[in-house]
């Protein structure tokens, strides 16, 4: 019963994997930056530690970089290279875990808040309440009250980070929910939950990816800031922020290596994370 | 500019070429278009999405997007050759002589300025000092002619207080206010109700005659062209495949594409012409009839194929002022098919 | 015989504006009804009201005897299965992240959840074949399709559950002429071969005249005239119908 077809022959669909590869090829900045961040992450776990990062050696205090101590030693005689690498483990793991939790919370809350019901109103009220607090100050107090445990750091980052992700996901989801294919789904009788997962979520995924990157940068910054002012990850556990703080005390005496190497690590990772997130956002903008 | 006589050629487009640099390679959107529009004349440009008609319109007013460029040909308005115009010169011309009405022009109104102020803006940009009374007189006259009721209220309104159809008509009036000698309008009537569309087109045609304006109207509405345009150019694949007086081109179409386009107009009880395949854009700007891949005449007579592939897109006269591109100007293949 | 669609005194108000102001309409099974009118005449509101997407303020709409305005979830589901809608913008009607097969199978997943993957696949391919789309398109995303193909996918999706009534809201208004010709030809074929019952809402009198047996003219939320197509096109009786038909632009030059 089929009428003669008017359609040209159909080429096979491009493989999804190749599509993704092409996206990376078209966005070299994102690719390079993501690679650098991954390299730092893998490196901090895979690189051998020449010395115990928490080890104290009174005979080798504040030695400049040399063949035995690549990045020199600090006031306790600890090897700065070992400490920078070990700090990467703590800081990056903390940041990734916190970002995952914050993003997940933000996405769930944002999707809930994009509906037109009472739950959505409640979510927005909670959000307004949370954001009316001076969050960074609060987190400092909370983390120090909690005895500087790492779980508290994660909690602090989540509380600081998830409201903005929620708002962004909500505003994007509101746009998608107005689109015709969502109305079509409603006309078919697709359930609200299925509509959210099949139609809304995939179409805000790009924004979520970009937000994940931005949030990762913010998390690293918060961790470093907290450590710098002496809460969160505290000595003897190495962290980049605390190391910069320790180095800052002696930098006036010409002892630059204690502060500069962990500082460079923070700057490199932050820079790459932010550039990659920017690149993802710009690529999304081009697609529109 | 001097006021040339009504009917004399005013806007001249010669072998115009436009290329886009798209993400997946170059696209030749306009591949050598020749068109002339006289003062007091409305030229309708028809064709389907992607045929290059909007690119042509934008090239004529020097408003191609950043990834597009004119790669050949000339545009003349009166005695002025615009091919070598600097950006500043283009801006000056658009303030005075050239008016452009983009697609979805309702959105082109400034959302933060009252309608009356927008008239004042264009009038003062074109003529320097213009009194408030003069602005009011010109704008009221245009709005009334466009069939808008309660003109004083409209002049005080912000664009968001108006319906889409009203805003679209106002955008046209704003474009006409400075009395340009050339108006290029991209889909000025899309989305308008028929009764409103008729009013707008009547006003446009009347202004065109009284002001001696040369109007290029890009549209997909064949009916509007048939009833309100003097001449028509049919575009396909970046080229004009047929052009001439409306009565001649629509009444006696010669090019297979023009025939297919008119055959797709629904007429109760008659089967619709269905074209195989899909329209494609030119990637290399090579010569040859752009329609040859879907042409029913070419399919019926394979002997034509090679000729169609080599034929340049230049037009040949088949009747008084009625020109057809390529081999298809020789109607014998078509006549054979018809008999 | 139960009417495919019966509308009684339908009223719908949006913030003081009466979009529907007492609409009565009966559509026997197998009929193709056109609804024409200018913007703001209430024709799109009527289309959405039939689907229950705009609940009425008063009046009643029944589809094959089932009342659209019901609190019963089972009845709502049954209605969603019986009535399908096709919207104006084909591109916007398809989720860009879903393959064609996924889009067309979605109504089956909702209304025939017991169907196995193989049967679902077979039904999807049948629906694509019905609208003359090659099976090879099933794995593509909407972005790879032309506007006409996209609108045919929308129609395939609307037909996959074998509804008793199809509502089309300006289905060809955003399409090029040659693509509109494909869609109109398809509708006529489905009407002739399957006896498909549909309501075709449009401002385009020529398109409506081409695919409909009967035409209703709407003005200010009311149907001012409803007559067999030939009769309306050749001798409309209501002054507004005459005005509307008279304003149509003939593509033949004067």
């Amino acid at each position: 019963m089929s009428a003669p077809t008017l359609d040209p022959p159909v080429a096979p669909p491009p493989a999804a994997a190749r599509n993704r590869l092409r996206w990376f090829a078209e966005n070299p900045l994102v690719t390079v930056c993501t690679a650098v961040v991954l390299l730092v992450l893998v490196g901090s776990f895979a690189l051998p530690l020449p010395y115990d990062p928490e080890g104290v050696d009174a005979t080798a205090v504040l030695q400049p970089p040399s063949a035995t101590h690549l990045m020199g030693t600090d006031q306790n005689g600890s090897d700065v290279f070992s400490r920078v690498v070990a700090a990467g483990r703590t800081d990056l793991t903390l940041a990734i875990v916190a970002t995952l939790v914050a993003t997940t919370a933000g996405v769930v809350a944002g999707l809930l808040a994009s509906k037109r019901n009472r739950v959505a109103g409640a979510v927005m009220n909670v959000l307004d309440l949370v954001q009316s607090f001076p969050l960074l100050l609060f987190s400092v107090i909370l983390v120090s009250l909690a005895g500087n445990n790492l779980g508290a750091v994660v909690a602090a980052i989540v509380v600081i980070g998830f409201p903005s992700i929620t708002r962004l996901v909500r505003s994007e989801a509101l746009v998608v929910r107005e689109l015709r294919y969502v109305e079509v789904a409603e006309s078919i009788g697709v359930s609200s939950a299925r509509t959210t997962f099949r139609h809304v979520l995939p179409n805000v995924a790009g924004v979520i990816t970009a937000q994940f990157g931005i949030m990762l940068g913010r998390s690293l910054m918060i961790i470093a800031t907290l450590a710098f002012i002496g809460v969160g990850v505290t000595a003897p556990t190495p962290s980049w922020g605390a190391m910069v703080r320790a180095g800052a005390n002696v930098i006036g005496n010409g002892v630059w290596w204690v502060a500069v190497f962990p500082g460079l690590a923070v700057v490199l990772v932050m820079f790459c994370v932010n550039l990659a997130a920017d690149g993802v956002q710009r690529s999304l903008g081009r697609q529109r | 500019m001097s006021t040339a006589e009504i009917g004399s050629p005013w806007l001249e487009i010669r072998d115009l070429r436009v290329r886009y640099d798209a993400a997946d390679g170059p696209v030749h959107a306009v591949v050598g278009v020749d068109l002339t529009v006289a003062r007091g004349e409305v030229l309708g440009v028809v064709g389907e999405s992607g045929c290059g008609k909007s690119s042509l319109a934008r090239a004529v007013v020097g408003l191609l997007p950043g990834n597009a460029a004119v790669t050949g040909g000339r545009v003349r308005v009166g005695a002025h050759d615009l091919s070598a115009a600097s950006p500043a010169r283009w801006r000056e011309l658009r303030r005075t002589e050239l008016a452009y009405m983009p697609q979805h022009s309702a959105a082109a109104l400034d959302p933060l300025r009252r309608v009356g102020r927008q008239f004042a803006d264009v009038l003062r940009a074109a003529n320097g000092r213009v009194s408030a009374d003069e602005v009011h007189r010109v704008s009221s006259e245009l709005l009334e002619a466009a069939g808008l009721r309660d003109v004083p209220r409209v002049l005080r309104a912000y664009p968001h207080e108006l319906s889409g159809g009203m805003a679209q008509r106002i955008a046209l009036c704003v474009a006409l206010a400075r009395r340009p000698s050339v108006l290029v309008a991209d889909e000025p009537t899309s989305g308008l109700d028929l009764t409103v569309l008729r009013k707008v087109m009547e006003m446009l045609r009347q202004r065109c005659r009284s002001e001696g304006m040369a109007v290029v109207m890009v549209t997909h509405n064949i009916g509007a062209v048939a009833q309100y345009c003097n001449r028509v150019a049919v575009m396909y694949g970046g080229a004009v495949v047929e052009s001439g007086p409306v009565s001649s081109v629509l009444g006696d179409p010669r090019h297979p594409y023009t025939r297919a386009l008119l055959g797709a107009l629904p007429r109760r009880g008659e089967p619709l012409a269905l074209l195989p395949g899909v329209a494609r854009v030119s990637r290399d700007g090579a010569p040859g009839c752009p329609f040859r891949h879907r042409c029913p005449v070419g399919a019926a007579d394979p002997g034509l194929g090679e000729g169609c592939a080599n034929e340049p897109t230049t037009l040949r006269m088949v009747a008084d002022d009625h020109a057809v591109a390529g081999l298809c100007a020789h109607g014998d293949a078509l006549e054979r098919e018809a008999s | 015989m139960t009417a495919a669609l019966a509308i009684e005194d339908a009223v719908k108000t949006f913030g003081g504006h009466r979009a529907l102001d007492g609409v009565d309409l009966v559509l026997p099974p197998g009929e193709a009804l056109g609804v024409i009118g200018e913007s703001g005449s209430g024709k799109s509101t009527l289309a959405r009201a039939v689907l229950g997407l705009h609940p009425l303020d008063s009046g009643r709409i029944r589809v094959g005897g089932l009342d659209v305005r019901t609190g019963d979830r089972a009845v709502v589901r049954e209605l969603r299965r019986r009535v399908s809608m096709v919207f104006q913008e084909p591109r916007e009607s398809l989720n860009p992240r879903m393959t064609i097969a996924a889009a067309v199978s979605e109504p089956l997943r909702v209304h025939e959840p017991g169907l196995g993957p193989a049967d679902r696949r077979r039904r999807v391919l049948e629906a694509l074949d019905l609208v003359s789309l090659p099976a090879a398109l099933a794995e593509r995303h909407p972005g790879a399709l032309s506007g006409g193909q996209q609108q045919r996918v929308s129609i395939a999706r609307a037909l996959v559950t074998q509804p008793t009534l199809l509502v089309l809201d300006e289905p060809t208004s955003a399409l090029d002429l040659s693509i509109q010709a494909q869609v109109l030809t398809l509708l006529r074929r489905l009407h002739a071969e399957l006896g498909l019952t549909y309501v075709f809402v449009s401002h385009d009198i020529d398109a409506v005249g081409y695919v409909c047996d009967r035409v209703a003219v709407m003005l200010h939320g009311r149907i001012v005239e409803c007559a067999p197509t030939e009769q309306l096109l050749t001798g409309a009786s209501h002054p507004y119908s005459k005005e509307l038909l008279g304003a149509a632009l003939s593509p033949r030059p004067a």
Side-chain angles (χ1 to χ4, degrees), chain A residues 1-3 5-7 10-14 180-181 183-184 186-190 194 198-199 202-203, chain C residues 48 80 87 89 92-98 106-107 109-111 129 132 140 149 152 157 182 189 193:
Chain A
M1 75 154 292
S2 185
T5 179
L6 295 165
D7 302 283
V10 182
R180 198 59 83 210
Y181 54 80
E183 194 182 2
V184 170
E186 196 187 339
S187 82
I188 290 170
V190 178
R194 195 181 151 82
R198 294 276 292 176
H199 295 288
N203 287 291
Chain C
R48 281 168 171 71
R80 292 277 190 272
F87 293 85
E89 313 83 355
E92 291 162 31
S93 301
L94 295 167
N95 182 339
R97 307 245 165 204
M98 267 181 160
E106 188 155 48
R109 288 176 191 274
V110 173
H111 296 294
D129 185 54
S132 310
R140 304 306 298 267
Q149 289 175 327
R152 277 143 69 198
R157 171 174 58 190
Q182 292 175 16
R189 181 166 65 78
E193 290 176 5

Side-chain angles (χ1 to χ4, degrees), chain B residues 2-70:
Chain B
S2 63
T3 39
E5 251 173 71
I6 302 276
S8 63
W10 186 251
L11 172 66
E12 259 189 276
I13 301 164
R14 286 286 163 254
D15 196 33
L16 190 69
R17 288 165 193 275
V18 175
R19 194 184 69 201
Y20 282 76
D21 285 310
D24 51 348
V27 171
H28 295 261
V30 179
V31 291
V33 162
D34 292 309
L35 284 173
T36 314
V37 191
R39 306 205 80 165
E41 183 176 76
V42 184
L43 171 79
V45 178
V46 298
E48 298 184 281
S49 316
C51 72
K53 55 191 197 297
S54 290
S55 302
L56 172 72
R58 300 183 72 143
V60 168
V61 290
L63 283 175
L64 284 168
N67 63 339
V70 171

